[in-house]
Amino acid sequence: AMNIGRSLAVLMKCGTDSVSLFSVSPAAERLRHILGEDDNTPTPTIFTEMDTLQNEGGEIEWKESARWVKFEEKVEEGGERWSKPHVSTLTLHSLFELRTCLQTGSILLDLEGYSLPQIVDEIVDRQIADGLIPPDLKEKISFVLLRKHRHQTKKPIHRSLADIGKSSSAASSEFVRRLSQSRSMNDISDTPSTDQLKNKFMKKIPRDAEASNVLVGEVDFLDKPFVSFVRLAQATTLGGLTEVPVPTRFLFILLGPQGKTKSYNEIGRAIATLMVDDLFSDVAYKARDREDLIAGVDEFLDEVIVLPPGEWDPKIRIEPPKKVPSSVLNLNELGQMNGSAGGAAGGEDTEFPAPHELGEELKFTGRFAGGLWLDIKRKAPWICSDIYDGFHIQSISAVVFIYLGCITNAITFGGLLGDATDNYQGVMESFLGTALAGTVFCAFSGQPLIILSSTGPILIFEKLLYEFSKSNGIDYMELRLWIGIHSCLQCFLLVVTDASYIIKYMTRFTEEGFSSLISFIFISDAIKKMVALKYYPINRGFKPDYITSYKCECIAPDQGESANPFLYFLYLRCFDVWFNLTDMDWSQLSKKECVNYGGTLVGNSCKYVPDLALMSFILFFGTYSMTVSLKKFKFSRYFPTTLRKLISDFAIFMSIMSFVGLDMLMGLDTPKLIVPTEVKPTRPDRGWLVMPFGKNPWWWYVASFVPALLVTILIFMDQQISAVIVNRKENKLKKGCGYHLDLFWVGVLMAACSFMGLPWYVAATVISIAHIDSLKMESESSAPGEQPQFLGVREQRLTGIMVFVLTGLSVFLAPVLQYIPMPVLYGVFLYMGVASLSGIQFWERIKLYLMPPKHQPDFSFLRHVPLRRVHLFTLVQIVCLAVLWILKSTFLAIIFPVMILGLMVVRKLLDLMFSQHDLAWLDDILPDKDKKTKEDDKKKKRNKKAAEPESDEEPNSSVPPPVKIPMEAIESHTEPVPVHVNPPAQNQTSDCEYTDPFLHLLLCQIVVSCVNV
Amino acid sequence: AMNIGRSLAVLMKCGTDSVSLFSVSPAAERLRHILGEDDNTPTPTIFTEMDTLQNEGGEIEWKESARWVKFEEKVEEGGERWSKPHVSTLTLHSLFELRTCLQTGSILLDLEGYSLPQIVDEIVDRQIADGLIPPDLKEKISFVLLRKHRHQTKKPIHRSLADIGKSSSAASSEFVRRLSQSRSMNDISDTPSTDQLKNKFMKKIPRDAEASNVLVGEVDFLDKPFVSFVRLAQATTLGGLTEVPVPTRFLFILLGPQGKTKSYNEIGRAIATLMVDDLFSDVAYKARDREDLIAGVDEFLDEVIVLPPGEWDPKIRIEPPKKVPSSVLNLNELGQMNGSAGGAAGGEDTEFPAPHELGEELKFTGRFAGGLWLDIKRKAPWICSDIYDGFHIQSISAVVFIYLGCITNAITFGGLLGDATDNYQGVMESFLGTALAGTVFCAFSGQPLIILSSTGPILIFEKLLYEFSKSNGIDYMELRLWIGIHSCLQCFLLVVTDASYIIKYMTRFTEEGFSSLISFIFISDAIKKMVALKYYPINRGFKPDYITSYKCECIAPDQGESANPFLYFLYLRCFDVWFNLTDMDWSQLSKKECVNYGGTLVGNSCKYVPDLALMSFILFFGTYSMTVSLKKFKFSRYFPTTLRKLISDFAIFMSIMSFVGLDMLMGLDTPKLIVPTEVKPTRPDRGWLVMPFGKNPWWWYVASFVPALLVTILIFMDQQISAVIVNRKENKLKKGCGYHLDLFWVGVLMAACSFMGLPWYVAATVISIAHIDSLKMESESSAPGEQPQFLGVREQRLTGIMVFVLTGLSVFLAPVLQYIPMPVLYGVFLYMGVASLSGIQFWERIKLYLMPPKHQPDFSFLRHVPLRRVHLFTLVQIVCLAVLWILKSTFLAIIFPVMILGLMVVRKLLDLMFSQHDLAWLDDILPDKDKKTKEDDKKKKRNKKAAEPESDEEPNSSVPPPVKIPMEAIESHTEPVPVHVNPPAQNQTSDCEYTDPFLHLLLCQIVVSCVNV
């Protein structure tokens, strides 16, 4: 027990009123006064060091025992090791004792101090003047306070093994020697030592920091505690007092009689923790007298969180939370916040420097090309930084990663397009088109992080178009050119009318539906392609013993039976060889030759290829799992953070290299990446330019407007939904986006590609997300224990341009690229698909189905929405996705964008099924932003509380209305009681609300009429 | 701000002394009085339910909003979901308000209550009598307090979708209907409802629990709070008041005026948290008056842990810690602890019911066979439970797991022994021997969890012995029999002299060295065996196109050149076929036939076998990783705990099944487990019994004493170290062990196996650990949020016996077992090796090398020993292991036991290198036990504190001595100051201390002389 019990007993006797909750206390009034002053200078960050008095080997010295930047780091018992940063758990006890100390000790505010001896002199003199200590103790106290400070800077881990044995014996004589050297009373030097300057810990401390030194110790000549709290007028470097060369501003000294070291230490920890508290440090800087400081302690006490002793072991060091209150709104900003008038609304703006609200950029301007003009105006200031921001090691890994994704995509789609169009557009066209479109887009678009690629719907459209042309005798390339031109013009029309603004009516529901569908397609494609490697079947019944019976022989064709001998002649001409077919040694021919010359392969091993299937599987799965493991490695405990981050950044590159190496080592003929090596059209009968006139009747030039409309809708939806996903608030993009500008360039490229007979390109969601993920930045110099903050994405144009330039140059990189086995690339594909899924809340909600409620993670939406409703919402999404998936697998894929609109309609119907409160949590509010707002609120509240008279009403909390006792119910029980329904806790007006149902109707009608055409 | 600031200000003015630390407060004195009474009845566990007053749809009702067994579970906003159990984070605020409430409200202790209406009547009457409320409010308050209580028992998740739409519209009319039904003032029924009785949550609450109900609400007719704390004389079931049919003992009611719901809730949470606190619940049961309760609150406040507001977001729900203070010493035990005199030493005994201290069982009795007698006496009472404890589903998985390990081992060692001894001992002998020895040992030994197996050193010994016999013309089997007999006798000698007691001088260092070596051997064996599957090489340069050139043909031998035609005749006879060798169609022969008939295999595919190598790799690695993943699955969030536990228990079985299935699906000729199908000796010229006389000269019968000595040492060390590892305190074995009894049976089996010509058996560390791991028990009905406690191991003889009976019957199981591919079993081996490593602290310390200090886990030894010393200690262990590994790989493996002794010598030398303090942390103290002791200490301290006058000195804490200021240093600085060295914090006397160096010397000499012989 402690004096708190007694204190309250006394308090009650002194006659305070019974339940006096929420009246403004004197402490709050005081703080309001001092913090409310219009003082715009931000208070510096405080670094606190606590030193305790040690008597080691007879020499008295101050030894650093803990330090605080934001969290506590303790020197471990062995004295050679910093603990992990942890939340300071204090005892209430020590806080009350600290309060008493501040009440009884001497407080020196704004002391003019230039050196420690002088300051110590002043402190001791003040104590003597206050009659707290007898004058004869001055010398002793000064001696103690001026002893040398030993810090945790040296790393004795590297001491040689030879030293270990002698340390104990040699130590004492060493100390004696040093003791005799330090003849003066003052062990402290005035200049920072080299140890101080070399200390790497400095980079963890903000540049503007000032130090607060806590000195705590036990001496034998005092009979009551000697307490002193000093604030210097100016921060001054006091020699070796502090571990780092940070000037000292505050000093707290507690020397006490023997026997209570432990409680002195606790008091020291309490003041140190207070000093790094946002609010108290503010108070400490601005306090006018002792009472202000005590009011600060009281405010702190008012805010503390208490853990019951039976449920928590104080020995457990609490890891710093991932999100600290006011982690963003830093100490420095606190001051500004106080100063700025109307900070209530301004809080969020400081968080997002560049306004890139979905609504802002997608506003309907009403002017001709108003949106485009705004886009250009928005992007213009970033032109230079778009280039130089790209110079970073991370960009290299991003370029490699995205490049590999792009060429794999180009090859896959190129191959498929070649099949679909009889090689009018093949791999070569795909490469050149990707390179051209990508480079132009990344160089000039509004959102250079978006990666253009061929997409499935376009592929299906081309296929249908080619089949139509062939069966109707129309020239495909010319028709396609006209469709491209029309589509380009339609895009321009959409751009100048600001039509992209309708995208802002998309919610999480639609967005997630689209992006998970694309991810699933990626994953299923990767797996399908792996399964499709059936050219290399496994001989399942193989028995090693019967190896002699496994053979595959080339049998000469039976001349009479076989087809036209002229064909053989042709084949042989092709190979530029001349054989006498009958005299040939058929058994010497390779499989391909045998087939070419008309031979028959006979034998039970012909259709099998040993090892390749399993090897492909190992490469595929190995690449995927290695990438996943290396990416996760960032969160492991091993190796320094920088190295881990590097490994994680280059995870994909390293996995690819490893498995390419393994493949080379095995020397198996796994399917490799084949890149065209010559720049010429895949089909010899077409050139690099398509002429617009001459082959088709003139009316086709007009009629192609109709298919062009379908292409335009397709492109518009695909492009803009991907852009919305890329521009999500979670990504913290700062340079703004340009939906109109993007669409403009897509339109231009449509026309350009059509003229050159290259495929059409549009934003590819999964690769774009991968691009962003590989460019994410995190804060480096955070306080120890603080989680690195996700700062945003390295927004620049360089990586994109590099990727596509490399894609263009791939023709010349063929000798290197040919070593990459396809299964490895499919593994990368699989990873991309899975990784883009993992960030989606929908996916998290699916997982909830498998978890019993007590094991579910503490998602904020789970705290507010009944699980049943969450599951129902997820189920609706799953059903929608399943329907989309089925449609996608049919020829209906071409109306894919309409299906996305269908999603939006389903979302609209959900309004009937779910309350707006539930939807606000599940659909509208982006989780990150939401948290942010709450934090800001909290911060503001705390601030306001100190600065203004209090009010209990939190504007956001869903306080149920007071229970009105309907007394008539007791008497009659007959009349119906009016129903009070709680208004849902609308924390903020969401960006994506369905404000205008008419607009939706319009939108749907446009689409439906287009499809009907 | 709150009244705490003001309260202390008032306090100071009232003139309390300045730093009044550690004087005994009135609260502590009070508690000492009431808790110190000799009252042996343990206080029941308290279940607390908090209900808040809700006005939903016009109907007033009490709605459950949170509950506590040990941790808090909150009803989430949606009202349909329990939060995860979490540590209750309170505000200091609410605690102080609660204190005020208890001071001003009415306290009714030991109220005779039988029904809620009567109790409510009493409460309201008391309030009126005390003048706290006007009499006219009685009816209103009673009405409110008797409203229906709605609990979280119904699971509306299963409501049909059809209901969802109408709920909002139908609700109000439903309520009106119900309201009109409840015409009486009392909504509460007297009998427990079926909902209550069906509630599954009941199993989480201890049987003796009593409920405490907290009712908190806001009403419009009060102008100041109505507070009442009631303790009933007897716990009474008050109808539907509580969620579960637990009788209510305490009631806390807080009704207050409107506008402060939030703070009322907080006060409710505060009292609820207090009620489940160990100490306060004790106080609540024993309080005599209001002041006692307030003293309890003060004591609680004194112990609370405070988190600074700037470092912790109160919104974060803190997960219950893994180890709660006093998690073992439960609420119930608290009362007993208080009562029992001298509880200071008794604390640990209650934790380990059966005394199985290493020292106790390995005591040197000094009597003839004293240890053996004690072993038998110790094990006899468990005979029955050794059988019936085995009937559990877990046993099945354990049997399958260990059985597969055993037969794999038997086959491997059988094969190797067969090679080494020209099949005198082959796979058949290995199977029978394993079955015989294992069954006997598991049925009669002291530690039936130990699994016997052939081990490496024995294998090497047999090999050397066979070579020696063959080269000297001595009959191997007879010699071996005599060695076995001698060794058996020597074992008996060791048993009767209690020689096993020397094992207790083993420390963690030696133990870890031994077990990690064995684990490494397991791992390397598994990998070696996989690599050894080179019978199935991969054709690395294979080009699918040249498949026609890959063939393997059998070419008839050139008759003239080839060897004796008689040999062919023989071969053909063997196959019972008669061919004309020259007329035979050689190309039709299989590989084996071709070789047998003297043909030559020609072709470039002869030496390759497709797919098998990669398939083997996939099976091996797949089995291993699937087992690891499934084992880890226990800690995932998915599926209910029971299912997860089942999956984890059957992880190995499921992985084996999956990969056997995959193997069957692929139909490849992977190497399969081949089990002999007939019971007959591997070598036809030996029988099942070895005759002791007749073949060798008589003096060999005597001389075999010398090699027998080596075997004995080998067996002794191998057996007993494994036993020590199995009997580790961490495993919490309760039935005691029997080192002497074990050795006795090993000796008997030595002789028996020698007579039957079967291999010798000794304890196998890795499989024994796997056996224990597969039988671990965890507590099931812990309080929500409490980590399941590891209770111990299912100690019984059934699983062991089953395993070995199955091994014996494997001969008949061959048709099933033949489907298991060897790579799958090697995967299981790999898992066993890795799993047995993971529990070793040595391994954790190796990992520390790769972690930067700030990422290292919070091991207790790291808090106390400098990292440098930890690394050095680990390095010594690594070097020792490396040396052992190298020696093990040479013929020196035979002196393996001596090497273990070498480890003990190295450990002895470490005393010179490390301080005893460091060694205590790194080597001696078992971490589990250590923590336990500390916790107990803490608990005791807390208890003692309340029960006795306080003292600040914790006996265990390493308080540095007070700094003595050598004032002469100030004046002269010449005389050396005496050095004070802190005594190391010896928390406990370790069991394994080197008390007697002479004994060690003796031990070493014995061994050295043995080796020299």
Side-chain angles (χ1 to χ4, degrees), chain A residues 784-804:
Chain A
E786 226 175 355
Q787 293 274 331
Q789 297 287 316
F790 167 58
L791 295 180
V793 176
R794 224 169 274 287
E795 289 173 76
Q796 33 69 44
R797 295 173 188 274
L798 217 56
T799 51
I801 293 174
M802 281 297 291
V803 162
F804 290 109

Side-chain angles (χ1 to χ4, degrees), chain B residues 704-776:
Chain B
S704 53
F705 174 83
V706 180
L709 205 56
L710 201 61
V711 173
T712 308
I713 297 174
L714 206 130
I715 282 181
F716 178 77
M717 296 299 290
D718 230 0
Q719 173 71 35
Q720 302 299 46
I721 294 178
S722 300
V724 167
I725 290 168
V726 165
N727 292 324
R728 267 183 195 158
K729 287 214 183 61
E730 290 101 305
N731 291 333
K732 293 195 183 170
L733 299 185
K734 290 182 182 66
K735 296 188 178 175
C737 49
Y739 292 91
H740 310 286
L741 188 58
D742 287 356
L743 192 60
F744 171 77
W745 281 108
V746 168
V748 169
L749 288 170
M750 277 289 289
C753 287
S754 305
F755 269 107
M756 296 182 69
L758 304 175
W760 294 324
Y761 292 96
V762 71
T765 319
V766 175
I767 300 192
S768 302
I769 292 175
H771 192 201
I772 283 185
D773 281 343
S774 63
L775 288 168
K776 281 190 169 172

Side-chain angles (χ1 to χ4, degrees), chain A residues 194-205:
Chain A
T194 45
D195 275 345
Q196 270 180 312
L197 293 173
K198 277 192 294 184
N199 196 341
K200 278 186 189 159
F201 185 68
M202 203 51 210
K203 71 169 186 211
K204 288 279 183 188
I205 304 172

Side-chain angles (χ1 to χ4, degrees), chain A residues 1-2 4-5 7-8 10-12 14 18 21 25 60 70 77 80-81 84 88-90 93 96-97 99-100 103 140 144 156-157 161 164 218 220-221 258 262-263 298-299 302 305-308 310-311 315-317 321 324 538 540 542 544-545 547-548 552 589-592 605 608 610-611 637-639 644 666-669 847 850-852 854-857 863-864 866 868-869 872 917 950 954 962-963 965-967, chain B residues 1-2 5-8 10-12 14 18 21-22 25 60 70 77 80-81 84 88-90 93 96-97 99-100 103 140 144 156-157 161 164 218 220-221 258 262 298-299 302 305-308 310-311 315-317 321 324 538-540 544-545 547-548 552 589-592 605 608 610-611 637-639 644 666-669 847 850-852 854-857 863-864 866 868-869 872 917 950 954 962-963 965-967 973:
Chain A
M2 38 174 275
I4 162 177
S7 77
L8 278 166
V10 171
L11 164 72
M12 286 306 141
C14 287
S18 57
L21 315 174
S25 73
I60 302 153
K70 187 168 186 77
E77 197 191 285
E80 292 184 4
R81 180 191 161 81
K84 266 180 154 173
S88 313
T89 44
L90 304 172
H93 216 117
F96 276 94
E97 283 174 2
R99 196 176 181 282
T100 315
Q103 275 177 319
K140 285 185 181 178
V144 168
I157 292 168
L161 287 182
I164 290 162
E218 208 179 44
D220 56 0
F221 53 80
Q258 288 173 26
K262 228 175 118 97
S263 70
D298 290 346
E299 264 309 297
D302 190 29
I305 302 141
V306 165
L307 299 181
E311 297 182 21
K315 289 242 172 63
I316 303 171
R317 291 187 183 149
V324 206
I538 298 169
R540 295 205 171 168
F542 188 88
D545 190 35
I547 185 138
T548 47
C552 181
L589 295 182
S590 78
K591 190 174 170 182
K592 205 186 279 167
S605 73
Y608 302 120
D611 294 320
R637 296 167 172 279
Y638 303 101
F639 303 121
R644 283 205 318 261
M666 299 301 282
L668 288 174
D669 194 34
K847 288 191 206 159
L850 297 175
M851 296 180 199
K854 64 175 173 173
H855 295 305
Q856 288 167 358
R863 286 199 189 184
H864 296 94
R868 186 169 50 95
R869 313 296 295 176
L872 185 68
H917 167 259
E950 285 179 80
E954 278 187 56
V963 174
I965 304 292
M967 287 311 292
Chain B
M2 39 175 274
R6 204 189 304 176
S7 78
L8 278 166
V10 171
L11 164 73
M12 286 306 139
C14 286
S18 60
L21 315 174
F22 305 123
S25 73
I60 301 153
K70 187 167 186 75
E77 196 190 288
E80 292 184 2
R81 180 191 160 81
K84 267 180 152 176
S88 313
T89 43
L90 305 172
H93 215 116
F96 275 95
E97 284 174 1
R99 197 178 182 279
T100 314
Q103 274 178 320
K140 285 184 180 178
V144 168
I157 293 169
L161 286 183
I164 290 164
E218 208 178 46
D220 56 359
F221 53 78
Q258 289 174 25
K262 231 176 118 100
D298 290 347
E299 264 310 297
D302 191 28
I305 302 141
V306 165
L307 298 182
E311 297 182 23
K315 290 243 173 62
I316 303 171
R317 290 184 183 151
V324 207
I538 298 168
N539 190 349
R540 294 205 172 168
D545 192 34
I547 186 137
T548 47
C552 181
L589 294 182
S590 80
K591 190 174 172 182
K592 209 186 276 166
S605 74
Y608 303 119
D611 294 321
R637 295 167 174 277
Y638 304 101
F639 302 122
R644 281 203 321 259
M666 300 300 282
L668 289 174
D669 195 34
K847 288 192 206 157
L850 296 177
M851 295 180 200
K854 64 174 174 172
H855 295 306
Q856 288 167 358
R863 287 200 190 183
H864 296 92
R868 189 168 48 96
R869 313 296 294 176
L872 186 68
H917 167 259
E950 283 179 82
E954 277 188 59
V963 173
I965 304 293
M967 285 311 290
H973 295 289

Side-chain angles (χ1 to χ4, degrees), chain B residues 75-193:
Chain B
V75 177
E76 299 285 18
E77 196 190 288
E80 292 184 2
R81 180 191 160 81
W82 283 111
S83 77
K84 267 180 152 176
H86 53 274
V87 175
S88 313
T89 43
L90 305 172
T91 59
L92 197 52
H93 215 116
S94 61
L95 281 166
F96 275 95
E97 284 174 1
L98 171 67
R99 197 178 182 279
T100 314
C101 286
L102 288 177
Q103 274 178 320
T104 55
S106 57
I107 310 287
L108 288 84
L109 298 178
D110 296 323
L111 180 76
E112 290 293 340
Y114 46 86
S115 78
L116 192 62
Q118 173 248 336
I119 294 168
V120 166
D121 249 21
E122 300 249 15
I123 292 170
V124 181
D125 285 346
R126 170 72 68 94
Q127 288 258 357
I128 293 168
D130 290 355
L132 294 170
I133 52 165
D136 58 315
L137 284 180
K138 180 173 176 173
E139 205 182 7
K140 285 184 180 178
I141 290 177
S142 301
F143 175 78
V144 168
L145 291 180
L146 292 174
R147 285 310 87 199
K148 202 173 167 60
H149 287 255
R150 190 140 62 87
H151 304 294
Q152 274 311 98
T153 44
K154 285 161 213 146
K155 289 201 175 169
I157 293 169
H158 304 298
R159 256 208 277 175
S160 71
L161 286 183
D163 288 351
I164 290 164
K166 59 181 183 185
S167 63
S168 58
S169 57
S172 58
S173 59
E174 162 77 1
F175 284 147
V176 171
R177 192 183 53 73
R178 277 167 56 194
L179 197 65
S180 59
Q181 281 178 342
S182 64
R183 277 172 197 273
S184 81
M185 234 179 74
N186 182 0
D187 272 358
I188 302 277
S189 66
D190 281 346
T191 49
S193 66

Side-chain angles (χ1 to χ4, degrees), chain A residues 585-718:
Chain A
D585 184 359
W586 286 87
S587 68
Q588 294 301 312
L589 295 182
S590 78
K591 190 174 170 182
K592 205 186 279 167
E593 287 166 347
C594 180
V595 174
N596 285 347
Y597 297 160
T600 328
L601 291 163
V602 173
N604 48 8
S605 73
C606 287
K607 57 181 178 187
Y608 302 120
V609 182
D611 294 320
L612 281 197
L614 293 177
M615 190 64 204
S616 300
F617 172 77
I618 291 173
L619 292 177
F620 170 70
F621 201 72
T623 309
Y624 170 73
S625 2
M626 187 169 166
T627 310
V628 170
S629 318
L630 287 183
K631 279 276 172 194
K632 267 193 205 153
F633 190 70
K634 195 158 90 181
F635 305 107
S636 89
R637 296 167 172 279
Y638 303 101
F639 303 121
T641 320
T642 338
L643 183 60
R644 283 205 318 261
K645 214 164 155 331
L646 205 70
I647 290 173
S648 160
D649 281 350
F650 282 86
I652 292 183
F653 185 70
M654 285 162 70
S655 323
I656 290 175
M657 280 298 135
S658 312
F659 283 91
V660 166
L662 177 71
D663 182 67
M664 285 167 76
L665 203 75
M666 299 301 282
L668 288 174
D669 194 34
T670 42
K672 299 288 196 303
L673 184 69
I674 296 157
V675 180
T677 46
E678 262 184 287
V679 186
K680 62 176 183 187
T682 312
R683 204 180 155 107
D685 62 346
R686 58 155 285 193
W688 280 127
L689 262 185
V690 180
M691 289 299 126
F693 306 105
K695 294 195 174 150
N696 291 337
W698 67 268
W699 51 270
W700 273 113
Y701 306 151
V702 183
S704 51
F705 173 84
V706 181
L709 205 58
L710 201 59
V711 174
T712 308
I713 297 174
L714 205 131
I715 282 182
F716 178 76
M717 295 301 288
D718 231 0

Side-chain angles (χ1 to χ4, degrees), chain B residues 335-370:
Chain B
Q336 293 161 352
M337 279 288 294
N338 278 337
S340 69
E348 196 149 342
D349 288 24
T350 56
E351 174 57 17
F352 303 103
H356 71 287
E357 295 279 294
L358 199 60
E360 200 271 334
E361 277 140 347
L362 288 173
K363 214 160 54 189
F364 183 72
T365 60
R367 276 168 289 132
F368 176 81

Side-chain angles (χ1 to χ4, degrees), chain A residues 275-425:
Chain A
M275 288 309 296
V276 295
D277 182 68
D278 295 1
L279 189 69
F280 187 82
S281 80
D282 232 27
V283 173
Y285 269 105
K286 292 176 181 161
R288 298 153 306 178
D289 53 21
R290 185 196 304 271
E291 294 310 313
D292 284 348
L293 284 176
I294 289 167
V297 176
D298 290 346
E299 264 309 297
F300 180 86
L301 277 171
D302 190 29
E303 297 272 339
V304 293
I305 302 141
V306 165
L307 299 181
E311 297 182 21
W312 194 259
D313 188 342
K315 289 242 172 63
I316 303 171
R317 291 187 183 149
I318 302 177
E319 297 248 335
K322 277 192 186 138
K323 283 263 176 188
V324 206
S326 73
S327 62
V328 184
L329 206 68
N330 215 320
L331 304 192
N332 303 357
E333 287 159 2
L334 184 74
Q336 293 160 352
M337 278 290 292
N338 278 338
S340 68
E348 195 149 340
D349 289 23
T350 55
E351 174 56 20
F352 304 102
H356 71 288
E357 296 279 293
L358 202 58
E360 201 271 333
E361 277 140 348
L362 288 173
K363 213 159 57 187
F364 183 72
T365 59
R367 275 168 290 131
F368 177 80
L372 181 66
W373 175 240
L374 285 175
D375 279 356
I376 294 169
K377 264 207 329 210
R378 192 180 303 114
K379 300 305 289 184
W382 302 106
I383 288 174
C384 293
S385 79
D386 271 355
I387 302 303
Y388 61 71
D389 279 357
F391 290 98
H392 190 272
I393 178 110
Q394 211 181 12
S395 302
I396 299 172
S397 89
V399 166
V400 171
F401 176 29
I402 301 305
Y403 165 64
L404 287 169
C406 277
I407 52 168
T408 317
N409 232 346
I411 286 165
T412 322
F413 275 108
L416 293 170
L417 268 174
D419 286 350
T421 63
D422 279 349
N423 278 334
Y424 272 108
Q425 299 171 56

